[in-house]
Amino acid sequence: MTTATPDTGATPALKPYLRLLTATQFAFNTGFYAVLPYLAAHLGDGLGMAGWLVGLVLGLRTFSQQGLFVVGGALTDRYGPRPVVLTGCVLRIAGFCWLAQAGSTATVIGAVLLIGFAAALFSPAVESETARAAVAHETATGTPRAQVLAVFSAAGQAGAFLGPLLGSLLLLLGGDFRTACLAGAVVFVGVLAGHAKLMPHRPRRPRTARAGAALPREVFANRPFLVLCLVYSSYLVSYNQLYLALPAEVERATGSQGALGGLFALSSLLVVVAQLPLTRWSAHRLPPRTALVAGLAVVATGFAAVPLAPDGPAGLLPAAALVVLLTLGQMLLVPAARGLVPDLVDDHRLGLATGALSSVSGLAVLVGSAATGTLLGTPGAVLWTVLAAVPLTGAALALTLSGGRRTPEPVTTVTD
């Protein structure tokens, strides 16, 4: 009998199916972020929408995506990932093409809802398959699943970094928002073609009476999983401050939000450069629960540092400290949280659980963003103390989770 030897190389040697899923995440974010950064300006300046209406449209897009992840996850469990991914690609192509032509409030809302729902199908299918494949890879090779999930995360961040550059390049070359939308659609045509050819078929699960009845018990009444959802929600509420509290801090420090692009690029570059070595280190030294607690503590430190850090060049030192520490915390905790899901739910509900993790977190962000918005006018010490308390609460909840299994039993066999 042979024993799997853990992979200690810089990057795990991924099997073909994992490489496909990782490339999918890269392409997905490249196409998406070629359009998203320019949507608000297009709605306000291009279509003349009022500020509250722009906020509503952006909120509807987020809710139609995050809030419906649970639907995409349940469909993945029922029909397998291939048809759900392919359907998501078709809807995303249609949504981008529609958005390129939309000129009224109703058509814009329809297009962004379609774009969000496409992601609600696509992302849970890809993420649950990646988690399933990472567990199988861990069992076969001894490589900690967190390392595989870190590769997936880094690929997504690379796409998030390159997507806005692609959109900017198109604008510099004389294109407009419509051009960016069509370029995003072309990217998803490529994703659709690649998956139609390369994504394996999985036998359809037979529908049983037990399957429908067990749904609430196995996922939504699963206490450890619900605790993980709350822990992950505390992270996502904190991470969303990059789009809410950070712009307010940058404007306070510099008088404009012009430096935001550079700070977002810094965050993405940190993940691309440091995610794999950091996860390689933590996966071999920290149990998943410890990585969750440590990551949330680092995020809390980022918020606490804002009112304490002295103003640096152009007054951006506090904001830069927040971005760096929040991103480092994210790199520690996200692979650990995603890697815990297969240990907490049955394999035949992995898609639903993956979707529920995002949907519960998306609802928390909706509530948390409204609450944070009411605090933006308060003194800085109050705002940043409250924000630091959110990840600290999540860290306390994470301590109630089990330590996680370092070498799990095989969950399923994934076809290359």
Side-chain angles (χ1 to χ4, degrees), residues 139-384:
T139 303
T141 68
T143 301
R145 70 185 74 170
Q147 282 190 244
V148 175
L149 295 170
V151 176
F152 182 80
S153 179
Q157 286 296 328
F161 178 71
L162 291 176
L165 297 181
L166 173 62
S168 296
L169 178 62
L170 292 171
L171 296 177
L172 287 173
L173 293 176
D176 52 13
F177 181 76
R178 180 173 179 270
T179 306
C181 286
L182 295 177
V186 169
V187 171
F188 280 95
V189 168
V191 174
L192 174 64
H195 282 74
K197 180 177 181 180
L198 299 174
M199 197 166 201
H201 293 269
R202 175 179 294 173
R204 180 172 167 172
R205 293 186 185 277
R207 184 183 296 275
T208 64
R210 178 183 178 276
L215 179 69
R217 290 198 308 272
E218 292 182 12
V219 175
F220 295 104
N222 180 332
R223 183 185 177 281
F225 174 71
L226 291 179
V227 170
L228 180 64
C229 286
L230 293 176
V231 171
Y232 198 75
S233 295
S234 72
Y235 149 70
L236 206 58
V237 169
S238 299
Y239 186 81
N240 196 60
Q241 301 313 314
L242 287 178
Y243 308 101
L244 191 59
L246 178 66
E249 168 61 21
V250 170
E251 186 156 359
R252 180 203 67 78
T254 67
S256 76
Q257 296 185 8
L260 273 178
L263 291 172
F264 286 138
L266 172 63
S267 176
S268 294
L269 265 180
L270 274 174
V271 176
V272 172
V273 172
Q275 178 74 78
L276 299 185
L278 179 62
T279 304
R280 188 172 67 252
W281 173 84
S282 66
H284 289 286
R285 290 168 177 81
L286 302 178
R289 181 182 64 186
T290 305
L292 278 176
V293 173
L296 288 165
V298 172
V299 171
T301 303
F303 289 125
V306 173
L308 299 177
D311 286 347
L316 285 176
L317 184 58
L322 171 63
V323 169
V324 169
L325 290 171
L326 199 153
T327 304
L328 288 175
Q330 169 199 351
M331 290 190 284
L332 272 174
L333 70 91
V334 170
R338 294 290 182 183
L340 273 174
V341 175
D343 286 343
L344 301 179
V345 300
D346 289 342
D347 180 59
H348 68 286
R349 293 298 183 203
L350 185 56
L352 177 65
T354 300
L357 185 66
S358 292
S359 290
V360 171
S361 301
L363 183 60
V365 168
L366 191 62
V367 175
S369 295
T372 303
T374 65
L375 293 172
L376 289 179
T378 62
V382 174
L383 170 65
W384 299 110

Side-chain angles (χ1 to χ4, degrees), residues 9-96:
T11 304
L14 302 183
K15 294 183 178 181
Y17 189 49
L18 275 168
R19 289 201 297 269
L20 171 66
L21 294 170
T22 301
T24 294
Q25 183 70 355
F26 171 77
F28 179 89
N29 277 2
T30 299
F32 181 66
Y33 285 99
V35 176
L36 183 64
Y38 311 103
L39 177 57
H42 170 69
L43 298 179
D45 300 335
L47 300 183
M49 288 186 178
W52 68 268
L53 187 54
V54 173
L56 175 64
V57 170
L58 295 178
L60 286 172
R61 188 210 63 78
T62 300
F63 185 74
S64 67
Q65 178 173 322
Q66 295 288 139
L68 296 179
F69 263 40
V70 65
V71 175
L75 291 173
T76 300
D77 289 335
R78 177 69 181 92
Y79 297 104
R82 179 185 168 90
V84 178
V85 167
L86 297 182
T87 302
C89 288
V90 170
L91 293 181
R92 179 54 68 90
I93 293 166
F96 275 158

